[in-house]
């Protein structure tokens, strides 16, 4: 079954067919991946074969594995995901690392996570920084439901507050406005029509999570950084994940807005990914 399904996915142009089949089979059988090999000679029942076939067919239609199994690991935590949210990406862990390092030295820090999606950034930071509080914002009600379920799943729900609305606007009328320790965001930064987006991403992940409204990849990042000048307490920081060609521009944008000690951090692949600056 492993061999046949792998060959089938390979023929349909799926990039990591063996790994995907292992994950899907393990999920269908309620096993760990390693168990597939430990139980290599176990006969499969008709129901089990059916369940595996359905998942493999769905994968051949380029549905992301994370949606098929209902979760994705991020920052060593399992996050529930479905079609309402972007699948968390490993490069976003860098934003979490930076936030944990900087917020960990502050007393009772309060931060915003703008465009929280699955809640992966907010929940991972709350998990690491025990006295922190997160105000997680998304324009999509469905995303906030997923994020809240992940906060619950990882035992941080009482320090996680969901707000629905446009970027930082929902916080304007709250006591957190002007008092935030950090504004974190991995906003949409792809321009519609960009030919570099994988077909599976384009067909199955929410477009609200992928695309900027116009043709400037930094449009939402700029609006967040501009509003954050008012939402942050003096000395608070903004940290933004940006597209792979926008790092230097994002750094220059933060400097032009008046942020100090601006840095642009590279991800593991050496791509400038996260722009960070401190409110003067
Ligand atoms: C790139 S996804 C990031 C999701 C998650 N934070 C992560 O890193 O995986 C961007 C998120 O921003 C939300 N979003 C898009 N436009 C928004 C807006 N104007 N105001 C608030 N949220 C927005 C989308 O619904 C989506 O959940």
């Amino acid at each position: 079954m492993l061999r046949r399904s792998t060959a089938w996915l390979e023929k349909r142009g799926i990039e990591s067919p063996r790994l995907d089949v292992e994950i899907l089979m393990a999920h269908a059988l309620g096993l760990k991946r390693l168990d597939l090999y430990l139980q290599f000679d176990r006969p499969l029942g008709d129901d089990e074969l059916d369940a595996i076939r359905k998942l493999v067919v769905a994968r051949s239609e380029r549905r992301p594995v994370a949606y098929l199994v209902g979760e994705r690991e991020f920052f060593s935590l399992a996050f529930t995901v479905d079609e309402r949210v972007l699948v968390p990406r490993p490069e976003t862990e860098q934003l979490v690392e930076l936030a944990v390092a900087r917020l960990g030295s502050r007393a009772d820090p309060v931060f915003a996570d703008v465009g929280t999606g699955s809640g992966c950034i907010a929940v991972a930071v709350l998990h690491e920084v025990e006295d922190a509080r997160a105000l997680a914002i998304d324009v999509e009600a469905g995303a906030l439901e997923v994020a809240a379920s992940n906060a619950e799943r990882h035992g941080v729900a009482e320090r996680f507050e969901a707000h629905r609305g446009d970027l930082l606007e929902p916080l304007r009328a709250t006591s957190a406005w002007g008092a935030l320790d950090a504004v974190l965001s991995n906003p949409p930064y792809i321009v519609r029509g960009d030919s570099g987006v994988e077909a599976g991403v384009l067909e199955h992940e929410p477009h609200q999570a992928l695309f900027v409204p116009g043709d400037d990849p930094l449009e939402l990042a700029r609006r967040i950084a501009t509003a954050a000048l008012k939402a942050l307490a003096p000395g608070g920081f903004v940290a933004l994940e940006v597209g792979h060609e926008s790092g230097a521009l994002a750094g220059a944008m933060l400097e032009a807005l008046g942020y100090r000690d601006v840095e642009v951090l590279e991800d593991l692949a050496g791509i400038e990914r996260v722009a960070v600056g401190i409110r003067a």
Side-chain angles (χ1 to χ4, degrees):
M1 195 64 188
L2 264 174
R3 252 181 258 130
R4 240 194 278 161
S5 303
T6 300
W8 206 67
L9 287 188
E10 198 165 19
K11 230 189 278 164
R12 280 155 184 83
I14 300 296
E15 238 175 57
S16 48
R18 178 79 179 196
L19 174 67
D20 291 2
V21 171
E22 286 180 2
I23 295 171
L24 296 175
M25 270 186 82
H27 174 73
L29 301 174
L31 298 174
K32 297 212 169 73
R33 263 173 65 209
L34 179 65
D35 294 330
L36 296 176
Y37 293 92
L38 297 176
Q39 303 181 20
F40 211 76
D41 52 359
R42 174 181 137 188
L44 293 171
D46 286 345
D47 287 355
E48 291 176 325
L49 286 170
D50 247 16
I52 295 167
R53 277 197 201 106
K54 274 198 189 112
L55 289 170
V56 173
V57 168
R59 180 65 190 126
S60 76
E61 290 160 355
R62 303 191 172 278
R63 277 180 205 288
V65 173
Y67 293 155
L68 295 174
V69 302
E71 61 179 37
R72 168 56 56 93
E73 191 181 301
F74 176 83
F75 220 76
S76 302
L77 298 170
F79 281 85
T80 302
V81 292
D82 63 28
E83 282 80 355
R84 294 175 292 175
V85 299
L86 189 88
V87 176
R89 305 295 205 268
E91 54 270 25
T92 305
E93 293 185 350
Q94 195 189 13
L95 179 58
V96 173
E97 263 164 33
L98 173 144
V100 167
R102 292 192 179 207
L103 291 174
S105 56
R106 292 171 180 242
D108 303 323
V110 181
F111 67 94
D113 173 17
V114 184
T116 195
S118 62
C120 60
I121 296 172
V123 171
V125 172
L126 291 177
H127 193 260
E128 298 296 310
V129 186
E130 279 177 6
D131 54 356
R133 201 156 63 84
L135 308 171
I137 306 153
D138 208 289
V139 74
E140 293 291 336
L144 290 173
E145 279 173 30
V146 177
S149 77
N150 280 315
E152 194 73 48
R153 181 170 182 175
H154 294 297
V156 298
E158 72 287 354
R159 295 183 285 124
F160 177 94
E161 227 176 79
H163 293 265
R164 184 166 177 210
D166 183 40
L167 304 182
L168 279 160
E169 281 311 303
L171 303 189
R172 202 177 275 276
T174 71
S175 58
W177 194 255
L180 290 172
D181 291 282
V183 171
L184 313 177
S185 186
N186 172 21
Y189 48 66
I190 302 173
V191 173
R192 265 173 218 277
D194 181 338
S195 57
V197 188
E198 282 171 38
V201 173
L202 201 56
E203 285 160 24
H204 299 290
E205 298 205 50
H207 285 191
Q208 183 79 36
L210 299 173
F211 297 115
V212 280
D215 56 9
D216 172 8
L218 286 180
E219 177 178 342
L220 292 177
R222 183 176 295 107
R223 282 178 52 205
I224 293 166
T226 304
L229 282 171
K230 299 222 168 82
L232 286 167
F237 67 92
V238 65
L240 303 164
E241 180 177 326
V242 295
H244 64 283
E245 284 167 345
S246 301
L249 279 176
M253 179 261 289
L254 291 185
E255 270 168 0
L257 285 171
Y259 283 93
R260 67 173 169 80
D261 298 333
V262 170
E263 287 174 61
V264 183
L265 308 180
E266 290 181 358
D267 65 17
L268 291 174
I271 296 169
E272 290 183 321
R273 269 287 166 199
V274 176
V276 54
I278 295 174
R279 185 192 152 182

